[in-house]
Amino acid sequence: MTKYSYPDEKQLNRLVAGRYRTAWVWQFIFLLSLIIAIFSLSALIYDVVDGAFGYVAYEFKKDPTLISEKPLDDLEKEELLLILQENLSRGAYNKLNEEKAMETRNEAELYNLVIERLVQIKTLETYSLSDSLFRKAEVEADVAENFPEARLEFRSWLSPQFLTTPMSSRAEFAGVRTAMLGSMWLVGIAISFAMPVGIGAAVYLQEYARKNFINSAIQTNINNLAGVPSIVYGMLGLAIFVRAMEAFTSGAMFGITDTNGRTLMSAGLTMGILVLPLVIINAQEAIKAVPDSIRQAAYGVGATRWQTVWSHVLPNALPGILTGSILAMSRAVGETAPLIIVGASTFISLDPSGPFSKFTAMPIQIYQWTARAQGEFHSIAAAAIIVLLVLLLTLNATAILLRNRFQRRY
């Protein structure tokens, strides 16, 4: 009697059918996962775009004909400037003039000042893009019934003016310039700190460190730190950078005395600490991917370990290091919790002028606008989310381009 026996034809067919059925089930699960991911992303994009465009019902608090007999849209720059001089108080006019000389402002800027300071728009209701496109008649009827004196206008909250104007307490005139500059400063400081420190640590751990208990413990803790909640890093930044190192992060040791430790420097260093484990891990993986044959060839011609690392390992690992570092920075751009702890301002209209300035950032601004009850603030929050997504996609695209540009194949 043999130990193994072949199945008969019926059993074999049943076995093959079962294998194909299992394979089909797993293929369906993989496809379902992909569909869920695409649906989730599509829902996010739809929700954001739906809020950033649409009809707006508004009215003027002051009749424009009381300010000028000529329609405001037809006024020249000199006429707008004269209206502002005649109708604004001396203090308000001088304050605007100190921010930017009135004579140097263009016609569009003066027109917006007239609308904001003199006419004063009051937004009564906002409508989503889907309602504006597919339920236009109902929207018009609703405005005619509830706001008979209001004007109805289709508005894109994402506009060049939105990108180039600072914050404002009025949603109609608010922009993201201050928050964008704050985010760029944060990323710049975080990169300047995290990349050299992270790459240096990765080179040591991968090329120099011996395999012993201490180095294994360090490696394990670096891996664990990558998963620590970001708010913990915020508390760390508050204790070290804001309080313990206040003399440096406030700029006091450089003669800047009008700020405390809640500055861009503290927030940038906190973000640098936040992404440091990711930079180290990504750099280690990139260095590990360099073939050992390159190292052995360098040693074979008499190169030292430093020469091997500097001239052969790092150039070959550069695409992976850059890609990982930029993707780590993408995480820093979208973080909110550490910035709240460190002391980001929820409202600030002055652009940051240096690393010791008070600051805000895109995620903070979006959070602050979404917390407001008025619908118009939700609309500009949606527009700001689009700007943030474009910024993140730009960083990711840069990482892909750098990887393709420097990638070497063996």
Side-chain angles (χ1 to χ4, degrees):
M1 184 175 181
T2 59
K3 185 177 180 180
Y4 301 102
S5 61
Y6 292 101
D8 58 22
E9 182 179 359
K10 191 175 180 181
Q11 289 176 327
L12 180 62
N13 290 336
R14 192 164 53 245
L15 178 62
V16 172
R19 292 172 58 188
Y20 276 100
R21 189 166 48 251
T22 303
W24 182 86
V25 168
W26 279 108
Q27 181 180 351
F28 176 76
I29 292 174
F30 296 148
L31 178 62
L32 184 63
S33 302
L34 177 63
I35 292 174
I36 291 174
I38 294 175
F39 177 78
S40 302
L41 183 60
S42 301
L44 169 66
I45 295 175
Y46 168 78
D47 186 58
V48 172
V49 173
D50 197 45
F53 306 92
Y55 278 116
V56 179
Y58 68 95
E59 63 183 14
F60 295 131
K61 287 187 177 180
K62 188 173 183 179
D63 190 349
T65 58
L66 299 177
I67 299 174
S68 170
E69 295 180 354
K70 192 176 176 180
L72 295 179
D73 295 336
D74 298 336
L75 293 176
E76 302 290 338
K77 176 182 175 181
E78 292 72 18
E79 296 172 306
L80 292 167
L81 185 60
L82 181 62
I83 289 175
L84 288 169
Q85 290 173 336
E86 292 177 347
N87 292 277
L88 282 176
S89 65
R90 181 179 295 276
Y93 186 88
N94 290 338
K95 185 178 179 181
L96 291 171
N97 198 44
E98 289 175 1
E99 292 176 1
K100 184 178 180 180
M102 298 296 281
E103 288 76 11
T104 63
R105 299 180 187 242
N106 58 36
E107 186 176 317
E109 290 175 319
L110 294 175
Y111 174 83
N112 288 332
L113 282 178
V114 171
I115 297 296
E116 180 182 0
R117 300 302 178 99
L118 302 180
V119 178
Q120 297 186 13
I121 290 178
K122 181 183 180 182
T123 300
L124 302 171
E125 187 64 71
T126 59
Y127 300 90
S128 66
L129 178 62
S130 55
D131 287 343
S132 302
L133 293 179
F134 304 112
R135 300 174 56 197
K136 182 179 178 181
E138 295 178 36
V139 170
E140 292 176 341
D142 181 62
V143 173
E145 179 181 357
N146 297 308
F147 315 107
E149 302 297 327
R151 303 182 181 200
L152 188 63
E153 174 186 288
F154 186 89
R155 182 175 299 174
S156 167
W157 294 93
L158 180 59
S159 63
Q161 180 188 348
F162 181 71
L163 299 175
T164 56
T165 53
M167 294 184 192
S168 172
S169 58
R170 304 297 307 276
E172 297 83 357
F173 305 100
V176 290
R177 188 183 71 193
T178 307
M180 285 178 63
L181 291 174
S183 291
M184 290 178 184
W185 269 102
L186 287 177
V187 171
I189 295 172
I191 286 178
S192 302
F193 170 76
M195 279 197 69
V197 174
I199 294 172
V203 169
Y204 178 80
L205 289 172
Q206 201 61 40
E207 297 292 327
Y208 291 91
R210 296 179 180 178
K211 291 186 178 178
N212 53 36
F213 174 76
I214 295 176
N215 290 329
S216 297
I218 292 173
Q219 184 68 60
T220 302
N221 280 288
I222 290 174
N223 295 335
N224 290 334
L225 284 173
V228 171
S230 58
I231 195 166
V232 176
Y233 287 96
M235 297 171 68
L236 179 69
L238 177 66
I240 296 179
F241 300 124
V242 175
R243 293 176 179 166
M245 299 176 61
E246 182 179 355
F248 168 69
T249 55
S250 67
M253 67 170 56
F254 306 106
I256 303 172
T257 58
D258 61 341
T259 59
N260 52 27
R262 299 177 184 276
T263 60
L264 276 167
M265 181 61 75
S266 295
L269 292 175
T270 302
M271 287 303 188
I273 291 288
L274 171 68
V275 300
L276 187 58
L278 297 176
V279 174
I280 294 175
I281 293 171
N282 289 326
Q284 277 189 274
E285 292 300 323
I287 293 172
K288 194 184 299 181
V290 177
D292 280 337
S293 58
I294 292 179
R295 297 179 179 83
Q296 298 304 324
Y299 294 143
V301 296
T304 63
R305 177 165 294 188
W306 160 245
Q307 289 172 324
T308 301
V309 169
W310 180 255
S311 302
H312 300 283
V313 175
L314 282 180
N316 286 283
L318 187 61
I321 293 174
L322 290 177
T323 303
S325 300
I326 293 175
L327 292 179
M329 290 307 125
S330 299
R331 181 188 173 186
V333 172
E335 282 291 346
T336 308
L339 300 181
I340 294 175
I341 301 295
V342 170
S345 302
T346 54
F347 183 87
I348 182 171
S349 59
L350 295 177
D351 296 338
S353 57
F356 305 112
S357 303
K358 294 184 181 300
F359 72 101
T360 188
M362 293 287 295
I364 297 291
Q365 195 60 68
I366 293 170
Y367 169 75
Q368 197 264 338
W369 281 338
T370 53
R372 302 287 292 269
Q374 298 91 333
E376 56 268 30
F377 282 99
H378 298 168
S379 297
I380 61 174
I385 291 172
I386 294 176
V387 176
L388 183 60
L389 289 176
V390 170
L391 183 62
L392 290 172
L393 290 175
T394 303
L395 284 174
N396 292 340
T398 304
I400 294 173
L401 289 174
L402 289 173
R403 183 190 62 194
N404 294 337
R405 173 68 178 80
F406 296 105
Q407 193 170 35
R408 300 182 183 181
R409 299 182 184 280
Y410 302 98

